[in-house]
Structure formats: C-alpha cells, structure tokens
C-alpha cells in the first residue's frame, strides 16, 4: 500500500548547516533536570525537546520512567522555552495521557514496533487525532514489519509520519550497541521516498564517542534529521548514561557536520553510474556461468551418490576468497557474505538437480 503522507511540519527544519534535530535526555528524571537540559538546548538553537516519560526496560528493577508526573515538566518546556516536545508511547494509556497533555510529537519504540498487536492498539488510540508520529525500526531487521507498523498508524488517519533508524539488536559483542545495517533504511527510503528518516546515533552507538561519526554518516546517506540523547549531566543519568552527550557537545557535533548538497548536478555521477551498470551486468553474466557449472557438479554428485554440501570445500572457498578480497581493498566480512549467498544459491540449484525424476 502507498502511505498517505503530509509534511511533518516540525520546527527546526533542516538548513544548509544543520539537519532537523530532536534532542534531550533518555529519561525525564526530575523537573530540574528537564528544565536545565531544555534551557541549554534552546540556547544552542534546538527547537524540539525529547524526553522519555515511560521507559520500557529489558529487565525489571531498573528505572522505568517517572510516568505521567513528568508530563507537566514537558508542558513547562513548551510554555517557558517555546520548544516543541516529544516523548515515547508504548500503550493506549500512554497515547491518551500524552495527547491530553498536548505533547507535540510522539514516537514509538523499537520493542513496540516489533509487536503488531501493540502497534494496532496505539493506532486505535491515535484515531481521530492530528499529531506527528515517528516509528522506530523494530528490534529485529525486518523491513516488512517496519512498513506494516507504519501502515497501521497511517490507516488510523495519521498522515504526519516519519521513522527513526536506531539500529538492530544483536546478542554478539560488536562496536555498536545496535547494528546500523544501513541498507534497511536505504531500502525503506527507496520504497517510501516521501517518508522522513531520522537517525538515532545514541542507540546505534551505545557510547557517546560514537555519536559524532554516526551523525555524519547519517548525513552522508541523506537522512532528514537526528534524534540525539542529550543530558545536562550525562554521567549521573538514571538510564543509558554512556550514550548521552552534554548540550555543548551536541552543539559542537552539529556545527561540524558536513551537509551534502542534494541539488548538485549529477552529470559526472551519471557517467560513473553507467559504468556501475555495465559492471553489474557483467557480474550477473558471470554468476549465471558459475551456476551452470554448479548444476553440472550437481549432476555429477547425483550420478555418484554424493552429498550436495562438501563442508571442507566450502570452508576453503570462504577462507581463500576472504583473503583475496582483503588484498583487493574489501573487508573479509563483505566477501564472506557475498560467497555465502552464492553458495546458498549453488546448493539450491544442485538440490534441484538431485531431486529431478
């Protein structure tokens, strides 16, 4: 389905120097902390203040948000500093309380976005209201689930929609808290080009020193804005202390962002893209030749009653091709992923040969 979209009309519209920025603490902790952080951000030109009122946590026992008592604090930010305010909603009661308090922007978190029942409950609660809603990617890398959640919200009559890319959860220890997997939001943009995309570098990185490079990477990829966790005293934060930055640090990061020119002439790029197209065509032809040989191998294995998968040979291919890729300036992980996909297709074609009557 095509989403029915209207402009988000958020304050803090992107300029030649800065993208649209939503910033504020992971959690609203105290009224003093909220007002202190918001005042500093307002002084740096940030127009949209974010703070979590309800905080879904992985395990019980941690700080799970101040709850509805924090909504008047966000109203003070609106009234005294002239900022728009945003908070996360995860249930029908959250939506009702936030709308009653006049919260300007709502966002839906990654855990909630992964649950179609929860998304439908929120959609039903939003019906009949005109409020901007941002939907984070689900915790798992499932583009259709992400789009399905957007469709549910859109069908409720919400047309001021956007998304937040916060990366995807993994049990493995990696550089990032959540894997960026940039190709997924890029594909979302290809399929829904009118949908604004914000990057959440705080949750992708999980560490404040990664916020700046992730902000720049998002700008290089043409994202529309950033949503950054920012605290007046990050080390003392009640939740996600390691990934929050001070307002002055955020200002420093934003001032040094390079915003790419999307209106520049693409004539030179067109020549390079034509070369890419020719190489891609050659790659497909070469892959087709490889699969023809794979089918011949499948026929041989069938005639000699051999198993399709030869583990020793497969491991040898991955090791050798990975080393070759590194020598050619590519990462071993990339080459491994490519040849795993090639091997999967080769196995599929050989199984077809083996099962022929």
């Amino acid at each position: 389905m095509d989403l029915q979209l209207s402009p988000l009309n958020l304050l803090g519209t992107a300029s030649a120097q800065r993208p649209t920025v939503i910033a504020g603490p992971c959690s609203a902790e105290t009224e003093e902390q909220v007002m202190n952080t918001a005042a500093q951000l307002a002084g740096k030109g940030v127009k949209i203040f974010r703070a979590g009122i309800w905080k879904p946590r992985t395990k019980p026992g941690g700080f799970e948000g101040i709850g509805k008592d924090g909504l008047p604090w966000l109203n003070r930010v609106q009234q005294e500093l002239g900022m728009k305010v945003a908070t996360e909603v995860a249930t029908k009661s959250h939506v009702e309380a936030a709308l009653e308090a006049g919260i300007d922007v709502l966002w839906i978190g990654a855990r909630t976005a992964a649950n179609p029942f929860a998304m439908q409950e929120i959609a039903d609660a939003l019906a009949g209201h005109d409020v901007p809603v941002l939907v984070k990617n689900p915790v798992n890398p499932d583009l259709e689930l992400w789009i399905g959640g957007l469709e549910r919200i859109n069908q409720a009559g919400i047309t001021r929609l956007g998304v937040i890319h916060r990366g995807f959860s993994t049990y493995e220890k990696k550089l990032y808290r959540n894997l960026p997997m940039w190709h997924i939001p890029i594909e979302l943009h290809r399929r829904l080009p009118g949908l604004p995309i914000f990057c959440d570098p705080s949750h992708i990185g999980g560490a404040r020193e990664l916020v700046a490079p992730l902000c720049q990477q998002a700008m290089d990829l043409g994202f529309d804005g950033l949503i950054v966790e920012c605290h007046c005293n990050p080390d003392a934060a009640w939740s996600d202390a390691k990934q929050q930055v001070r307002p002055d640090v955020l200002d420093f990061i934003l001032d040094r962002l390079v915003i790419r020119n999307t209106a520049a002439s693409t004539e030179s790029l067109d020549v390079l893209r034509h070369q890419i197209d020719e190489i891609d065509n050659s790659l497909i032809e070469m892959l087709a030749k490889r699969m023809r040989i794979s089918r011949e191998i499948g026929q041989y294995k069938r005639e000699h009653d051999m198993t399709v998968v030869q583990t020793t040979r497969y491991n040898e291919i991955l090791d050798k091709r990975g080393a070759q890729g590194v020598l050619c300036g590519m990462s071993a992980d990339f080459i491994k992923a490519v040849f795993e996909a090639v091997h999967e297709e080769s196995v599929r074609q050989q199984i077809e040969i083996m099962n022929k009557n």
Side-chain angles (χ1 to χ4, degrees):
M1 121 178 202
D2 292 329
L3 298 182
Q4 303 300 311
L5 300 176
S6 302
L8 273 177
N9 292 331
L10 299 180
L11 291 177
T13 304
S15 69
Q17 291 77 37
R18 289 191 174 189
T20 300
V21 176
I22 303 172
C26 171
S27 304
E29 300 163 357
T30 66
E31 189 169 8
E32 180 184 7
Q33 169 248 10
V34 165
M35 295 307 298
N36 187 349
T37 306
Q40 290 187 51
L41 287 168
K44 301 297 184 183
V46 174
K47 301 293 194 299
I48 312 171
F49 180 77
R50 56 141 290 155
I53 297 296
W54 301 278
K55 293 300 300 178
R57 308 307 296 271
T58 302
K59 295 181 179 180
F63 174 62
E64 296 190 332
I66 203 72
K68 289 195 299 183
D69 291 345
L71 292 172
W73 306 345
L74 298 186
N75 293 149
R76 276 196 65 192
V77 172
Q78 292 170 311
Q79 296 159 9
E80 297 179 22
L81 299 173
M83 301 176 81
K84 296 283 188 179
V85 294
T87 199
E88 177 179 351
V89 292
T91 68
K92 175 184 177 182
S93 62
H94 293 172
V95 173
E96 291 172 346
L99 291 174
E100 184 178 356
I103 301 303
D104 299 292
V105 183
L106 308 181
W107 83 80
I108 300 170
R111 293 178 179 87
T112 309
N115 184 340
F117 292 104
M119 291 299 289
Q120 189 60 55
E121 177 184 312
I122 290 173
D124 293 342
L126 286 168
H129 296 277
D130 179 26
V131 61
V133 176
L134 305 176
V135 180
K136 286 194 173 185
N137 60 264
V139 289
N140 51 313
D142 188 334
L143 179 57
E144 297 307 322
L145 188 61
W146 200 359
I147 293 175
L150 289 164
E151 289 176 346
R152 291 177 189 275
I153 302 300
N154 194 225
Q155 287 175 358
I158 301 298
T159 60
R160 290 194 283 166
L161 270 175
V163 295
I164 300 171
H165 176 51
R166 52 75 83 184
F168 300 93
S169 300
T170 175
Y171 66 90
E172 298 176 335
K173 295 295 183 182
K174 297 283 188 180
L175 172 63
Y176 300 112
R177 175 181 178 181
N178 295 298
L179 299 179
M181 300 181 72
W182 298 105
H183 64 282
I184 293 179
I186 289 172
E187 174 61 14
L188 178 68
H189 180 67
R190 186 189 71 80
R191 291 170 61 172
L192 299 171
L195 189 69
I197 301 182
F198 288 75
C199 178
D200 180 349
S202 307
H203 278 91
I204 292 177
R208 61 180 65 112
E209 60 267 22
L210 294 176
V211 169
L214 285 166
C215 286
Q216 185 59 62
Q217 192 158 4
M219 294 301 96
D220 292 344
L221 292 171
F223 278 45
D224 300 282
L226 301 166
I227 179 166
V228 185
E229 290 192 347
C230 192
H231 194 292
C232 57
N233 185 10
D235 290 332
W238 296 2
S239 57
D240 286 345
K242 293 182 179 179
Q243 66 191 41
Q244 301 192 63
V245 297
R246 298 192 315 272
D248 60 320
V249 172
L250 176 62
D251 188 56
F252 180 87
I253 291 170
L254 296 176
D255 276 345
R256 281 151 182 78
L257 280 182
V258 178
I259 310 300
R260 307 300 177 185
N261 184 0
T262 57
S265 171
T266 62
E267 184 175 346
S268 297
L269 276 181
D270 290 340
V271 174
L272 296 173
R273 287 169 176 163
H274 179 67
Q275 294 178 31
I276 289 286
D277 289 340
E278 291 182 344
I279 293 170
D280 286 347
N281 292 336
S282 298
L283 282 172
I284 292 172
E285 292 174 2
M286 293 300 293
L287 285 171
K289 291 178 182 177
R290 193 186 195 283
M291 294 307 158
R292 282 198 292 271
I293 296 172
S294 291
R295 289 194 292 273
E296 292 179 16
I297 292 173
Q299 184 63 38
Y300 181 90
K301 290 176 179 177
R302 178 183 181 184
E303 293 171 357
H304 292 79
D305 200 23
M306 298 172 65
T307 60
V308 170
V309 178
Q310 306 290 313
T311 306
T312 302
R313 168 64 176 162
Y314 179 45
N315 290 335
E316 178 187 335
I317 288 174
L318 288 183
D319 291 341
K320 184 181 294 184
R321 301 298 181 261
Q324 289 175 320
V326 170
L327 290 174
C328 293
M330 294 174 284
S331 75
D333 287 344
F334 166 69
I335 295 298
K336 180 182 178 183
V338 169
F339 277 91
E340 282 177 343
V342 170
H343 181 261
E344 182 179 346
E345 177 63 15
S346 296
V347 168
R348 187 191 69 79
Q349 299 218 13
Q350 289 185 30
I351 288 175
E352 282 188 358
I353 296 294
M354 299 286 277
N355 292 334
K356 275 188 176 180
N357 295 326

